[in-house]
Amino acid sequence: MAASGRLNTKNLTTIVSVGILVGTEVIGLALAAGWGLAGIFQLGTAYEYAFMAIFTVLGMYALYRFMQRAVKVEPIRG
């Protein structure tokens, strides 16, 4: 059941800002890790893109879990 109450714009702004900051860092890390691993082992472009995709999916899941916990700490409603 959704929490009732007024929208807390201060917490909402904080959550959105943190999501943008952490999301940018996670995606950058995922792309750099895929590029770096493929480059170190000289695996080629196909593996490079595959690593980037895998790490990006893992990073997006981590960001999703992070945002869930952030909303628990800084409730948007209430």
Side-chain angles (χ1 to χ4, degrees), residues 38-73:
I40 286 174
F41 297 115
Q42 298 178 356
L43 297 175
T45 306
Y47 285 104
E48 179 180 334
Y49 290 140
F51 281 148
M52 287 179 175
I54 291 167
F55 291 146
T56 299
V57 168
L58 291 173
M60 293 302 292
Y61 177 72
L63 177 63
Y64 171 73
R65 296 292 297 165
F66 175 79
M67 292 302 291
Q68 280 183 330
R69 292 179 180 147
V71 170
K72 282 185 182 179
V73 173

Side-chain angles (χ1 to χ4, degrees), residues 12 22 26 28 34-35 51 72 77:
L12 179 63
V22 172
V26 166
W35 173 78
F51 281 148
K72 282 185 182 179
R77 296 230 178 241

Side-chain angles (χ1 to χ4, degrees), residues 10 13 15 18 28 38 68 74:
K10 184 178 177 184
T13 303
I15 295 293
V18 167
Q68 280 183 330
E74 296 280 336

